[in-house]
Amino acid sequence: MTHRTVGHPAGLPDDPHANVTAPTPACPVEITLAALHGRWTTLVVRELLRGDRSYSELRAALPTLSDKVLSDRLAQLGEAGVVERDRRPGWPPRVRYALTPHGHRLGPVLQALWDWGSGGPEPRGRG
Amino acid sequence: MTHRTVGHPAGLPDDPHANVTAPTPACPVEITLAALHGRWTTLVVRELLRGDRSYSELRAALPTLSDKVLSDRLAQLGEAGVVERDRRPGWPPRVRYALTPHGHRLGPVLQALWDWGSGGPEPRGRG
DNA sequence: CTGAATCCCTGCCGATACTG
DNA sequence: CAGTATCGGCAGGGATTCAG
């Protein structure tokens, strides 16, 4: 998103992205939101924060998530460096999905999202 | 999103949303992501974190943002309890937009998004 | 100056069917 | 078991136009 102004302790004072005037994929905020973007994404991440999972374990944990979207999400999270795919030889095919170290660091991010969302006057139906 | 598992200090241990198996608007994570959802949204919030703004000041700060999307975003942020609209009498019409206290608390959230996005092996083009 | 209404195009997501 | 291919519906967002 291209911020700054957020009030960082000390760092990133002159990051050019902090003053962008249009959405750009290079902005750190955009990068994170892109990693988490789309329906089901955060639930998949939550599931993997609990431990590594197979494809069918993920389907079992999220029963109404379609194959297409699940593989879309796993690919998206792989591209973002959040999830690692571990294929093991033999039959039947066994594949394990696990968070990378970088992926694990989404924990505090999701916590911040959780905290804000549970913290206040959320909607304002009318006034 | 419906988490928990994120590793909270102590709170919210048995929040039912923590174990949801499908996306639900009631989940705190979803609430926050909904508030920030959509193109331009975080940039509008960043601008307001710097201080209150008029409609045309926002347009000036974000020159390629269309009227439709700007008013959509301001309405969305209003519904989410992030932004407050302050209409002042007289002519020409003067309206000021400012963050609510709850809106100001998005600062740390955006900071967390910024930090993760600037922090790691972001994409993995191929390997 | 501050918006709301409309139009159209694009991309997301869900369901279904098929492959290795 | 672990996915990919295809299709259709719907919502998001940009440009333009109109209104208070």
Side-chain angles (χ1 to χ4, degrees):
Chain A
M1 204 247 227
T2 298
H3 311 74
R4 190 48 347 142
T5 294
V6 176
H8 196 281
L12 322 167
D14 43 22
D15 190 307
H17 296 311
N19 286 305
V20 180
T21 62
T24 164
C27 169
V29 173
E30 299 264 353
I31 289 170
T32 308
L33 290 178
L36 297 178
H37 176 256
R39 209 147 118 92
W40 294 100
T41 307
T42 54
L43 285 175
V44 171
V45 173
R46 178 201 65 180
E47 206 56 34
L48 292 173
L49 277 166
R50 295 173 169 170
D52 63 302
R53 295 283 189 271
S54 69
Y55 187 89
S56 35
E57 284 169 344
L58 289 172
R59 284 205 305 190
L62 307 170
T64 60
L65 171 57
S66 76
D67 278 339
K68 174 183 186 294
V69 175
L70 176 53
S71 41
D72 281 357
R73 290 300 171 262
L74 290 169
Q76 163 190 339
L77 292 168
E79 292 287 323
V82 171
V83 164
E84 192 162 26
R85 189 166 170 274
D86 181 17
R87 163 180 288 271
R88 305 188 32 185
W91 189 265
R94 302 267 168 182
V95 180
R96 295 250 110 198
Y97 290 94
L99 294 181
T100 63
H102 196 223
H104 273 104
R105 285 178 219 120
L106 280 174
V109 175
L110 293 172
Q111 187 66 53
L113 295 172
W114 176 286
D115 289 345
W116 191 88
S118 59
E122 310 162 0
R124 331 180 33 276
R126 195 55 30 214
Chain B
M1 210 261 207
T2 300
H3 310 74
R4 190 66 329 216
T5 295
V6 177
H8 197 281
L12 323 167
D14 43 23
D15 190 306
H17 296 311
N19 287 304
V20 179
T21 62
T24 165
C27 170
V29 173
E30 299 264 352
I31 288 169
T32 309
L33 290 177
L36 296 178
H37 176 256
R39 209 148 121 89
W40 294 101
T41 308
T42 55
L43 285 176
V44 171
V45 173
R46 178 201 65 180
E47 207 54 35
L48 292 174
L49 276 166
R50 295 172 168 171
D52 63 302
R53 295 283 188 273
S54 69
Y55 188 88
S56 36
E57 284 170 344
L58 289 171
R59 283 206 305 190
L62 307 169
T64 60
L65 171 56
S66 74
D67 278 339
K68 175 186 186 292
V69 175
L70 177 53
S71 43
D72 281 357
R73 290 301 171 263
L74 290 170
Q76 163 190 340
L77 292 168
E79 293 287 322
V82 171
V83 164
E84 192 163 26
R85 189 164 170 274
D86 181 18
R87 163 179 289 272
R88 306 187 31 183
W91 188 266
R94 302 266 169 183
V95 180
R96 293 250 112 197
Y97 291 94
L99 294 181
T100 63
H102 196 225
H104 273 104
R105 285 179 217 117
L106 279 174
V109 175
L110 293 173
Q111 186 66 54
L113 295 172
W114 175 286
D115 289 344
W116 192 88
S118 60
E122 311 161 2
R124 328 174 40 268
R126 195 53 32 210

